[in-house]
Amino acid sequence: MFELDSITAGYSGSVVLRDVSLWVPPRSVVALLGANGAGKTTLLRVASGLLKPSAGRMRLDGVDVTGKPPHVLARHGVCHVPEGRGVFPHLTVRDNLTIQATGGSAAEAVERAVSAFPILGEKLNQQAGALSGGQQQMLALAHAYVIDPSHVLLDEVSMGLAPVVVDEIFESLAKLAASGCALLLVEQYISRALELADYAYLITRGGIEFAGEPGELDGDQLTAKYLGTPLRS
Amino acid sequence: MTDLLPFLVIGLTTGSVYGLAAMGLVLTYKTSGIFNFAHGAIAALAAYAFYEVKVVRGLPWPVALLVAVVVLPPLVAMLMERVTRALAGATTTMKIVATIGIQLIITGALLAHYGAAGLTFPAFLPADTIELFGVYVGIDQLVSACVAALGALGFFVFFTFSPLGVRMRAVVDDPDLLSLAGTSPFAVRSWAWLIGSHFAAISGVLLAPLIGLDALLLTLLVVQAYGAAAVGLFASLPMTYAGGLLIGVLAALATNVVSGSVVLSGLPPAMPFLVLFAVLLLAGKRRLVDIGATRPTPPQPPLLGPRTARIVALVVIGIGIAVPFLVGAKLPVYANALVFVLIFSSLQLLVRTSGQVSLAHAGLVAVGAATFSHLAVGAGLPWLVAVLLAGAVAVPVGALVAIPAIRLSGLFLALATFGFGLLLENVVYRTGLLFGASGSLPAPRPDGLGGDLPFYYVLLGFAVAGVLLVAAVGRSRLGRLLRAMADSPTSLATLGLGVNVTRVTVFGISAFLAGVAGALYASQGHSATGTPFTSFTSLTWLTVLVLCGAARSAAPLAAAIVFAVLPAYGGGEADGSSGWMPVLFGVGALLVALHESSARRGRSHVSAEWPTGSRAAERIGSPGRAAARERVAHRDVDSAVRVRVGAAGGAR
């Protein structure tokens, strides 16, 4: 169970999140939806410790982790796959995996990553920056396979990828969910995210607008929130 | 060829040590984003620590070596890591000022404690020579070169293959991502600082036997590392080491070429700066991107309202007029301070108004001083004409410094100007163009106003005129462009306004003021000499100005008082660049830099104190008719919004 309780956070003078509460129950998939600039990425950055909230508490399996730095949270099983390409471009694929293993066995890390994404096995000695976008995203996602995280935070992992690659990424997300770790999913493919999700949160201008099961979410209402204007019929 | 071989071998042995120092510099810069101007000072500190233990305490040399290269570096690394962490999010200027502050602290303390005269460094390696490729090489030199080469090679292997080395490269790529992967970037940086400090300390102990124990020379000689680092474009470690070798060889060959010429004797030590300058001028702009995003400084509302400010200014001028009757024999001190008001005004124009760090300022002042003497004594021009022409001559020199400014910004501009200043100091000062071989030229005072009292008022007139000029520039279109440029060069370019002409113009105006100040300084002291205008002085001036930054537009005045007046009442030092004063300035500048960056971080938490990033607040608070119009406009907008809000409320 990952609990974010009344989080307020922002950057240089502007408040992005106001009093946001969100739960990620164990072994569940939570979809976090919202328009551009609503605060989804900021919420994930708070959850993984990259951004300290100015108010509110965070609890991980009952332990207060508010204000803990990201590397401590990572060692407690929080795995954040950030927006963009979460790889070290000047390092080889093997070096990237070694770092993801956090001091664990490098050989085992490579084995796990290759069994999840076989294509990485052919690229071990290439620079990560030279991989295609899809392969880079797989390398970033491999982090969730290399360690055994309790919670995986995914920030638009399908962004800018070819449809066939997106399919592959979503398959791997389903596999991750089936393996028993909880996912907090920020996605642009709303319907695919909702298919996968057990719970959904809708965030609008830094506040939670809706929280519940995907079935309860009204499609028109969702569109309206994304477009920022109420739909007139 | 064979007669060049000895120089080649000597060049390679010293170059190897430069390469090692440069690798430490590049490592810490890449991993932390802070370019450590104090790198050379750390080397000097280690060499002096060795001297202290071996010579002063009389302990055997292995103990001294242990203290210098094993015990000392971790302490330095700890300090540097703490400073780096505190500087996260600071502006480039503050990052530069912070490490320059540390350099001043270390070098200033060494100079004040051990004196400026060089000491003999105890040789601890065997001085026998062996024959190598037909050249006799000292065993000590060979050992130094090999130690440095092994260190460089070992580090390269470590950096490429070890888990910690991989993490160091990862921290260069993306520190946030590294922390998400469960490794603390701070821990990795601490290791980088540790290794960097060790390399600096080792190179200091290896270089000291070759050049003697001279704090300034050691600090600057390990600055050879800058040139080597530039060859590696501040990124590639093997190329950096190769750059060290290249600079060593070039300097040795230059020694051969210029031997016998007094004028060019400064060329070999200036070689790294020629290399640095050349690389910065020639390398592609995209290859020299400063690490760490630079955010614009938030606007600073003026301390006083326009009317109060005007009254305060008049009171200050009144005090200036009254000073001769209050201070008695200390009048020359205050006359000097007036010259420094001009110097700091011209520096303020660059550093504060346009956000460009120039470390060649002392060089420009020296150019003014020497030119004045040539014109007034040599060509026999009237005093006032000579002073103004001295300023005019400094303008093209300032424009020459501005060439890198057009292409580079932030850190690389600071490095290029530093290199230029050292080049002036080492090569041009002693030529007939400036001070000549004797190093000193006569400088007259104006006819009829030559007494200390009348000349004081002449200087007061120049100081007031200079301050008014800078204030006028600040209010003019150019000033607006400068502030806009400091905020966002990109948006200025999208508006169709080129920044190149603006940058050169501001350097030109600043150089003119500096040149005039140089002429006045010479005139006040009856002689023009380059001694007070070293690169070390440039660094001190910058830190003093930053130290007085809280005084806003009155900072030049405050800086002049701190730099030129206070020391006269303290330990009796001539001015702020001697004795323990640089140490105090260094501490002060470091604290100011740390305070400013922590204040910036404080604002990055939620607060409504700075609602916008624009400079409207500064503009509105400032005197002048345009600002008054804006104030009125804002009041109108405010009330209009309130009316509209009221109407909306009523409609609901």
Side-chain angles (χ1 to χ4, degrees):
Chain A
M1 176 77 111
F2 196 6
E3 300 163 75
L4 301 174
D5 191 12
S6 307
I7 297 292
T8 298
Y11 309 93
S12 49
S14 61
V15 185
V16 178
L17 297 173
R18 279 184 200 81
D19 199 20
V20 169
S21 298
L22 180 141
W23 291 7
V24 184
R27 312 177 74 84
S28 66
V29 177
V30 176
L32 180 59
L33 309 174
N36 281 350
K40 302 177 303 262
T41 296
T42 306
L43 189 58
L44 290 199
R45 285 175 62 86
V46 170
S48 65
L50 283 176
L51 184 67
K52 274 186 194 164
S54 56
R57 323 264 350 140
M58 291 157 52
R59 271 182 300 277
L60 189 62
D61 298 323
V63 182
D64 192 317
V65 292
T66 318
K68 289 268 189 279
H71 65 271
V72 172
L73 282 168
R75 284 166 189 267
H76 281 86
V78 177
C79 168
H80 182 172
V81 180
E83 196 180 8
R85 307 277 174 251
V87 299
F88 301 104
H90 294 97
L91 270 54
T92 62
V93 170
R94 191 192 300 277
D95 285 346
N96 267 281
L97 293 171
T98 312
I99 288 176
Q100 289 176 355
T102 321
S105 154
E108 198 195 331
V110 170
E111 195 181 304
R112 284 178 175 216
V114 171
S115 71
F117 301 106
I119 184 75
L120 294 180
E122 301 166 21
K123 312 272 181 183
L124 283 176
N125 293 319
Q126 279 194 20
Q127 282 205 336
L131 300 182
S132 74
Q135 290 163 355
Q136 289 191 24
Q137 202 54 272
M138 288 175 199
L139 179 54
L141 266 177
H143 190 194
Y145 292 91
V146 165
I147 56 172
D148 287 310
S150 58
H151 296 80
V152 182
L153 319 176
L154 298 145
D155 198 347
E156 307 235 358
V157 283
S158 65
M159 191 170 66
L161 299 180
V164 56
V165 183
V166 174
D167 289 345
E168 204 175 330
I169 297 276
F170 268 97
E171 262 168 48
S172 76
L173 294 186
K175 228 188 294 172
L176 259 185
S179 77
C181 63
L183 307 187
L184 177 56
L185 195 60
V186 169
E187 253 312 320
Q188 44 166 352
Y189 290 102
I190 303 165
S191 51
R192 302 189 74 159
L194 289 179
E195 265 169 41
L196 206 61
D198 302 305
Y199 304 98
Y201 283 81
L202 179 60
I203 183 166
T204 309
R205 272 182 279 157
I208 296 289
E209 180 88 12
F210 167 88
E213 295 186 14
E216 300 169 35
L217 206 54
D218 176 357
D220 285 349
Q221 188 193 351
L222 194 59
T223 317
K225 290 303 171 196
Y226 263 84
L227 296 177
T229 53
L231 280 186
R232 288 168 218 277
S233 49
Chain B
M1 186 61 213
T2 40
D3 43 325
L4 286 183
L5 204 56
F7 292 98
L8 202 63
V9 172
I10 289 172
L12 286 176
T13 53
T14 46
S16 181
V17 183
Y18 299 156
L20 185 75
M23 281 173 86
L25 182 69
V26 171
L27 173 70
T28 52
Y29 171 58
K30 291 287 281 179
T31 50
S32 70
I34 305 279
F35 189 90
N36 186 11
F37 277 85
H39 198 69
I42 296 171
L45 187 64
Y48 274 91
F50 186 99
Y51 174 86
E52 175 75 29
V53 175
K54 171 81 172 55
V55 177
V56 182
R57 313 264 165 210
L59 295 168
W61 71 262
V63 181
L65 196 63
L66 195 74
V67 170
V69 303
V70 179
V71 179
L72 182 74
L75 302 175
V76 176
M78 220 150 62
L79 167 79
M80 293 306 301
E81 204 279 326
R82 295 299 294 270
V83 169
T84 320
R85 202 186 288 207
L87 282 175
T91 56
T92 309
T93 307
M94 283 306 155
K95 287 179 182 171
I96 293 170
V97 165
T99 57
I100 286 181
I102 295 174
Q103 184 193 339
L104 279 185
I105 295 171
I106 297 176
T107 314
L110 291 177
L111 283 175
H113 185 72
Y114 293 98
L119 301 166
T120 319
F121 192 78
F124 61 99
L125 294 169
D128 308 330
T129 55
I130 53 166
E131 200 185 321
L132 201 72
F133 307 119
V135 178
Y136 287 97
V137 187
I139 290 181
D140 49 348
Q141 279 183 340
L142 207 58
V143 170
S144 302
C146 290
V147 165
L150 282 178
L153 183 70
F155 175 68
F156 181 68
V157 170
F158 159 83
F159 193 66
T160 318
F161 299 110
S162 78
L164 184 58
V166 171
R167 283 175 172 76
M168 278 182 188
R169 284 183 287 139
V171 104
V172 175
D173 264 5
D174 190 342
D176 274 357
L177 189 61
L178 185 65
S179 68
L180 289 179
T183 304
S184 163
F186 296 119
V188 175
R189 283 187 187 135
S190 302
W191 282 104
W193 278 113
L194 188 66
I195 294 172
S197 306
H198 272 294
F199 280 9
I202 292 169
S203 53
V205 172
L206 292 181
L207 280 176
L210 300 179
I211 59 173
L213 206 54
D214 178 323
L216 221 45
L217 209 57
L218 263 180
T219 303
L220 294 181
L221 257 185
V222 180
V223 178
Q224 318 276 29
Y226 295 171
V231 171
L233 290 172
F234 301 92
S236 157
L237 288 172
M239 281 305 286
T240 300
Y241 183 74
L245 294 182
L246 176 76
I247 283 173
V249 169
L250 282 181
L253 291 182
T255 316
N256 178 36
V257 172
V258 304
S259 60
S261 160
V262 182
V263 168
L264 288 177
S265 63
L267 197 59
M271 201 45 90
F273 301 102
L274 279 173
V275 172
L276 174 73
F277 212 59
V279 170
L280 290 178
L281 281 183
L282 299 177
K285 193 179 178 183
R286 269 177 306 165
R287 311 201 62 171
L288 293 174
V289 177
D290 193 6
I291 298 171
T294 52
R295 286 184 287 164
T297 21
Q300 288 185 325
L303 287 179
L304 307 169
R307 185 173 299 181
T308 335
R310 216 162 287 169
I311 294 171
V312 169
L314 285 176
V315 170
V316 169
I317 294 175
I319 294 175
I321 293 171
V323 156
F325 308 102
L326 304 173
V327 298
K330 289 241 191 263
L331 187 60
V333 171
Y334 287 87
N336 246 343
L338 288 174
V339 177
F340 277 103
V341 170
L342 264 185
I343 292 178
F344 283 116
S345 293
S346 67
L347 195 57
Q348 164 108 343
L349 194 61
L350 279 182
V351 177
R352 282 279 166 181
T353 314
S354 76
Q356 309 182 84
V357 176
S358 164
L359 298 175
H361 225 67
L364 295 178
V365 175
V367 167
T371 310
F372 167 73
S373 171
H374 287 308
L375 293 174
V377 180
L381 291 178
W383 186 84
L384 186 64
V385 177
V387 168
L388 294 179
L389 277 182
V393 166
V395 172
V397 180
L400 202 61
V401 185
I403 294 172
I406 290 175
R407 301 176 59 247
L408 308 170
S409 54
L411 169 68
F412 297 112
L413 172 62
L415 279 173
T417 52
F418 192 55
F420 185 80
L422 275 159
L423 212 59
L424 274 181
E425 180 188 340
N426 283 318
V427 181
V428 191
Y429 276 16
R430 267 174 294 176
T431 64
L433 278 176
L434 290 187
F435 302 107
S438 71
S440 177
L441 296 171
R445 286 185 182 180
D447 295 333
L449 297 168
D452 272 357
L453 187 63
F455 193 65
Y456 172 87
Y457 287 111
V458 171
L459 292 177
L460 183 64
F462 270 97
V464 171
V467 170
L468 285 180
L469 176 68
V470 170
V473 167
R475 300 261 183 85
S476 69
R477 179 170 181 276
L478 178 65
R480 246 180 350 259
L481 281 175
L482 288 176
R483 284 196 299 271
M485 193 173 76
D487 265 356
S488 167
T490 315
S491 26
L492 206 58
T494 59
L495 292 174
L497 300 163
V499 292
N500 290 358
V501 176
T502 313
R503 282 190 170 143
V504 177
T505 313
V506 72
F507 259 102
I509 296 175
S510 175
F512 176 77
L513 281 176
V516 168
L520 296 176
Y521 188 94
S523 197
Q524 159 68 16
H526 295 291
S527 80
T529 135
T531 324
F533 306 119
T534 61
S535 299
F536 190 65
T537 319
S538 287
L539 300 184
T540 315
W541 288 351
L542 179 69
T543 53
V544 173
L545 188 65
V546 169
L547 191 62
C548 298
R552 309 283 155 80
S553 44
L557 180 67
I561 292 172
V562 168
F563 185 82
V565 178
L566 289 187
Y569 288 89
E573 274 104 8
D575 64 24
S577 56
S578 52
W580 284 95
M581 295 307 287
V583 180
L584 290 180
F585 297 150
V587 171
L590 180 62
L591 291 179
V592 167
L594 293 180
H595 174 76
E596 279 207 11
S597 62
S598 79
R600 280 164 74 86
R601 267 203 314 286
R603 272 196 300 278
S604 75
H605 291 295
V606 179
S607 105
E609 205 183 334
W610 301 105
T612 60
S614 83
R615 301 230 153 176
E618 186 185 34
R619 196 75 196 101
I620 289 171
S622 74
R625 249 173 269 149
R629 275 200 303 278
E630 264 179 60
R631 274 196 292 277
V632 172
H634 261 255
R635 223 180 294 130
D636 292 349
V637 170
D638 265 5
S639 47
V641 168
R642 235 174 280 125
V643 169
R644 224 174 290 151
V645 168
R652 220 177 284 148

